[in-house]
Amino acid sequence: MYQVYPRSFQDSNGDGIGDLPGILTRLDYIVSLGVDAVWINPVCLSAGKDVGYDIIDFRQVQPEYGTMEDMDRLIAAVHCKGLRLIMDMVLNHTSNRHEWFQQASSSRDNPYYGYYIWWPVENGQPPARCGFFDPSGSAWTYNAPTRSWYLHYFAPEQPDLNWDLPEVRSRLYDILRFWLEKGIDGLRFDALTYISKDRSFPAITPGILKEKYNGDWGHYYAAGPHLHEYLREMHREVLAPYNVLSIAEAAGVGADEALSFVAEDRKEIDLLYPFEAIGIGYLPDSFKTPDPAGYSRGAWKEVYSRWSKVFDTEGWGALYLGNHDQPRMVSRWGEDKDPFRQPSSKLLFTFLLTMRGTPFLYNGDEFGMTNIRFTSIEDYQDVETHGRFEQLQKDGGDTAAFLTDQQLAGRDNGRTPMQWSDAPGAGFTTGDPWLKINPDHTRINRESEEKDPSSVLHFVRMLIRLRRSHPALVYGDYTLMSGNDSPVHAYMRSHRGSVLAILLNLSSEKQFFASILSAPSQGDILVDNYPGFQWSREGILLQPWQALVFACGTPSKA
Ligand code: ISL
Ligand code: CA
């Protein structure tokens, strides 16, 4: 799966904003990667507070991106190229400018009032809930005409829909049918695990949050009482008749619960897009504040191994290291300064394409794009960054430290325009880009990657071909071979007598990996991001960020 962030992918008319005709002109490039499917972030009419995740009209295309005809053309062209198109659907909330909310917020007697979730003033102060992007930190915002607070898990401009009302569900299902009838191949459902709310609104104190939900509001939000019931209903009423892929963004879902969503007989969802691993190395109790010590390689191995095991015999997993909500993959999990940017990018792709589960690649990572590291709050467009900044300002918090954190963790790092070339607009636009282009595009860009046979881009294409030609990489069992105390992630994938070993040195230092495997002969080495390696009878000395894949026999027990 290749994820395209439409606003930053390709601008076709010089307004500085990526658009659908722009994506059309890059389809051959996407085909050249060897991927099967493309997921595009939301393109419906949006108020633009959260780049498409605050929808005003589900049946219109955002004019900045193009027209409905452009969308129809894109669907047809994607199919013509042998690819599949996955659309992003935001059904947990709408924009406050959506007609439903405009109506609902006008009076308690309005028939749409029940479409959203309210706390009337008669009941006193609403119970504490976290609004992730709200400058006050609260998920409740007061609305005078209805003398009620409304609930919003994200920004105040993103009121949460009331899925408990059958009419709301049936109207959302109609919207899905509208798009499915156009022939799209699948849906990625935004914040899907948050749709069901406990309407008794129990008090969630900091103590309860910590004890029961690991300090994470996402865990509480994903534990709604009717979640599975609604997913089954949506599957039965909408998804089942169409042969489409369904993906649930699954914040707050633990490995032990994953099969309750994706086991075939559950008839709910095909794939969960998990969150546990992406949170490794962020401090507990703080929403995306990086641990200054970096991330634990032990935790990396433990979490990925545990999630892999879940799908050993049932269901199927998804893997990703970057997306539009995350910093750049190489800046977050690798080392984005020379000389390690290239080798660590390659290692991370080797991981994605040799683990068990469907790999999701995020646009631009295949050129080794890096964090832009803004120094001023004005440079950021992201509602999350601004919401938290304002909150800190109000509370007298450390805004300088926050800005330093954002250089690693901020979402806009992953949203800067695609670096197609070293031209002033990076080949993305001839105009003023909506978000600054990373100045490193003069060095890091597609054009130079195409010319360099040892580039990250060529390496990614090679890995995708490799995965296609080795069923063991797709279907094979996964066995962890290295202990949690070493920064080396070593594992085997085996399938019907074919055994592949994967050794990944997740560090900027050389690492000795003691192994019972014998040194592979040159012909058995399928991937090596460093020319040459040193193998002794005791094991192998891996170079910094070295990634090796080789075919081997089943190791003897001795
Ligand atoms: O809940 C979280 C942390 O516990 C968040 O990670 C949250 O689940 C995540 O940010 C949800 O993301 C999706 O919905 C957002 C939107 O801003 C993101 O871009 C989208 O991917 C609101 O629609
Ligand atoms: Ca444009």
Side-chain angles (χ1 to χ4, degrees):
M1 182 77 70
Y2 183 71
Q3 183 188 349
V4 165
Y5 194 65
R7 201 173 181 83
S8 293
F9 198 65
Q10 179 65 60
D11 175 20
S12 72
N13 60 354
D15 65 356
I17 298 169
D19 45 51
L20 299 177
I23 299 175
L24 261 168
T25 64
R26 295 290 183 189
L27 281 185
D28 285 332
Y29 166 75
I30 297 174
V31 170
S32 81
L33 297 173
V35 298
D36 291 310
V38 182
W39 149 30
I40 55 170
N41 289 96
V43 293
C44 293
L45 181 65
S46 146
K49 185 79 194 176
D50 188 17
V51 204
Y53 287 96
D54 47 337
I55 291 174
I56 295 178
D57 186 344
F58 291 97
R59 288 183 169 85
Q60 267 190 66
V61 170
Q62 177 76 340
E64 291 167 329
Y65 295 165
T67 61
M68 191 58 84
E69 287 68 47
D70 290 327
M71 193 59 205
D72 292 334
R73 261 194 291 275
L74 182 65
I75 296 169
V78 160
H79 289 160
C80 186
K81 304 275 179 198
L83 296 167
R84 283 150 200 242
L85 191 72
I86 312 299
M87 276 187 76
D88 204 325
M89 280 293 145
V90 192
L91 306 185
N92 174 69
H93 45 270
T94 67
S95 163
N96 60 338
R97 288 173 48 199
H98 191 290
E99 173 67 18
W100 298 343
F101 191 75
Q102 294 285 303
Q103 295 277 347
S105 59
S106 66
S107 141
R108 280 194 201 179
D109 303 325
N110 190 288
Y112 287 91
Y113 182 72
Y115 272 42
Y116 295 86
I117 301 163
W118 302 93
W119 185 271
V121 276
E122 307 87 274
N123 294 0
Q125 284 289 320
R129 292 293 182 271
C130 162
F132 294 120
F133 307 158
D134 189 301
S136 77
S138 167
W140 295 105
T141 292
Y142 188 67
N143 173 252
T146 56
R147 294 175 28 258
S148 329
W149 284 269
Y150 64 89
L151 186 71
H152 55 87
Y153 283 173
F154 296 94
E157 292 85 355
Q158 295 167 296
D160 281 36
L161 282 163
N162 175 16
W163 274 67
D164 294 333
L165 193 68
E167 191 181 319
V168 166
R169 303 202 300 276
S170 89
R171 294 196 69 171
L172 294 175
Y173 300 162
D174 281 344
I175 290 163
L176 295 178
R177 287 188 200 101
F178 169 83
W179 286 104
L180 288 164
E181 282 300 320
K182 284 185 174 291
I184 58 167
D185 306 286
L187 295 157
R188 176 267 187 192
F189 292 100
D190 186 66
L192 193 63
T193 46
Y194 294 171
I195 55 174
S196 166
K197 277 83 180 172
D198 183 346
R199 300 297 288 280
S200 72
F201 288 108
I204 304 294
T205 60
I208 292 176
L209 189 69
K210 201 171 171 97
E211 199 182 307
K212 280 187 76 177
Y213 303 102
N214 197 22
D216 179 354
W217 280 102
H219 282 199
Y220 170 68
Y221 289 166
H226 302 291
L227 174 59
H228 290 286
E229 180 189 323
Y230 296 155
L231 294 183
R232 272 197 290 276
E233 181 186 81
M234 183 168 77
H235 183 276
R236 191 175 64 238
E237 306 237 326
V238 191
L239 302 174
Y242 298 88
N243 184 22
V244 290
L245 173 68
S246 61
I247 307 162
E249 193 198 23
V253 174
D256 52 337
E257 303 154 298
L259 281 181
S260 69
F261 292 83
V262 300
E264 214 170 329
D265 59 2
R266 297 285 297 180
K267 298 196 180 346
E268 293 189 15
I269 278 289
D270 296 321
L271 279 184
L272 277 192
Y273 191 79
F275 271 64
E276 187 176 352
I278 206 77
I280 295 170
Y282 285 136
L283 293 172
D285 297 339
S286 75
F287 183 49
K288 280 174 96 178
T289 297
D291 187 331
Y295 66 94
S296 150
R297 273 59 173 172
W300 164 290
K301 284 183 271 184
E302 192 279 319
V303 173
Y304 281 113
S305 302
R306 180 158 40 81
W307 275 85
S308 180
K309 199 166 172 45
V310 168
F311 308 111
D312 266 356
T313 54
E314 253 192 299
W316 191 248
L319 295 153
Y320 66 98
L321 291 171
N323 63 32
H324 64 292
D325 291 337
Q326 299 295 330
R328 277 292 164 189
M329 175 178 92
V330 68
S331 305
R332 175 77 174 83
W333 305 106
E335 163 74 64
D336 68 6
K337 300 277 175 296
D338 288 335
F340 298 134
R341 184 183 65 85
Q342 273 219 2
S344 66
S345 286
K346 290 176 179 175
L347 175 140
L348 295 168
F349 276 110
T350 308
F351 167 78
L352 283 173
L353 288 153
T354 60
M355 282 292 285
R356 196 161 181 275
T358 294
F360 283 64
L361 315 183
Y362 182 60
N363 61 190
D365 282 345
E366 75 275 18
F367 316 151
M369 276 176 66
T370 67
N371 277 12
I372 189 161
R373 297 193 169 85
F374 288 137
T375 50
S376 148
I377 184 70
E378 274 82 55
D379 284 331
Y380 287 96
Q381 302 277 338
D382 182 13
V383 59
E384 176 182 279
T385 302
H386 280 281
R388 294 187 61 215
F389 187 85
E390 277 174 48
Q391 197 182 334
L392 284 166
Q393 256 180 335
K394 271 187 215 141
D395 304 348
D398 191 342
T399 51
F402 172 70
L403 284 180
T404 307
D405 283 355
Q406 285 291 287
Q407 292 192 337
L408 180 57
R411 305 198 299 182
D412 276 345
N413 287 298
R415 298 177 178 186
T416 62
M418 285 289 274
Q419 297 169 196
W420 299 106
S421 77
D422 62 2
F428 163 72
T429 185
T430 52
D432 234 359
W434 73 279
L435 183 66
K436 278 190 184 163
I437 293 172
N438 195 323
D440 71 11
H441 77 278
T442 51
R443 288 184 296 118
I444 302 167
N445 61 69
R446 182 212 169 179
E447 239 170 60
S448 61
E449 294 272 304
E450 291 285 5
K451 281 181 214 145
D452 173 7
S454 69
S455 68
V456 178
L457 180 58
H458 287 301
F459 196 85
V460 171
R461 289 186 178 127
M462 176 277 293
L463 284 169
I464 293 175
R465 283 195 303 271
L466 185 78
R467 188 177 171 104
R468 289 196 187 288
S469 56
H470 287 82
L473 290 179
V474 180
Y475 304 106
D477 296 339
Y478 162 90
T479 315
L480 180 67
M481 293 194 293
S482 53
N484 281 352
D485 49 343
S486 140
V488 175
H489 187 187
Y491 49 96
M492 271 190 299
R493 301 293 311 279
S494 48
H495 182 68
R496 298 192 177 148
S498 149
V499 183
L500 299 180
I502 296 103
L503 306 185
L504 307 173
N505 176 7
L506 283 156
S507 82
S508 306
E509 278 95 47
K510 291 184 183 180
Q511 299 292 339
F512 187 76
F513 176 67
S515 169
I516 51 167
L517 300 171
S518 50
S521 63
Q522 205 57 40
D524 288 335
I525 297 168
L526 304 170
V527 175
D528 187 358
N529 62 349
Y530 272 87
F533 56 88
Q534 296 159 30
W535 201 291
S536 68
R537 220 169 355 150
E538 291 76 34
I540 176 171
L541 185 66
L542 292 164
Q543 298 299 310
W545 298 104
Q546 185 165 20
L548 265 176
V549 179
F550 55 91
C552 55
T554 316
S556 65
K557 290 260 155 57

